[in-house]
Amino acid sequence: MKGAVDDIVQIKAILSDLEIPKYYLHADAAFFGMILPFLPELDSQPFDFRIGIDSITISGHKMIGTPIPCGVFLAKKTNIDRIGSHIEYTGSKR
């Protein structure tokens, strides 16, 4: 209930030690996703796509208290291109 932050760098090191070449790292950043990228790195680990995360979900209703449940899913464009399909009426991919 207070939020947790996994060490992405350590997780990647374990995958490397186990010689697992292909993996997909998803960050469920429901609670801290909106603030963690803006904290000084002395207080937190780097948290963005540059450290090897493939997708991130963030909940608006948990951190900022929106009156209705809402969320955001972010993924690397290469992953969206690989599995997404075109939605004609919105002109976007899903």
Side-chain angles (χ1 to χ4, degrees), residues 9-86:
V9 174
Q10 183 64 29
I11 291 170
K12 288 179 63 178
I14 291 168
L15 292 169
S16 179
D17 290 345
L18 295 173
E19 298 180 3
I20 299 174
K22 292 184 179 183
Y23 55 84
Y24 186 98
L25 287 179
H26 172 75
D28 179 3
F31 192 66
F32 289 128
M34 289 189 177
I35 62 168
L36 196 57
F38 304 104
L39 294 177
E41 288 189 25
L42 295 175
D43 297 334
S44 69
Q45 66 175 331
F47 183 78
D48 57 30
F49 288 113
R50 292 174 292 180
I51 64 168
I53 296 170
D54 295 298
S55 61
I56 303 170
T57 51
I58 302 165
S59 297
H61 61 282
K62 290 183 181 174
M63 176 50 75
I64 60 174
T66 59
I68 58 172
C70 70
V72 175
F73 174 80
L74 301 171
K76 291 179 179 177
K77 185 174 181 338
T78 54
N79 292 324
I80 298 297
D81 290 342
R82 187 168 44 95
I83 64 170
S85 60
H86 183 72

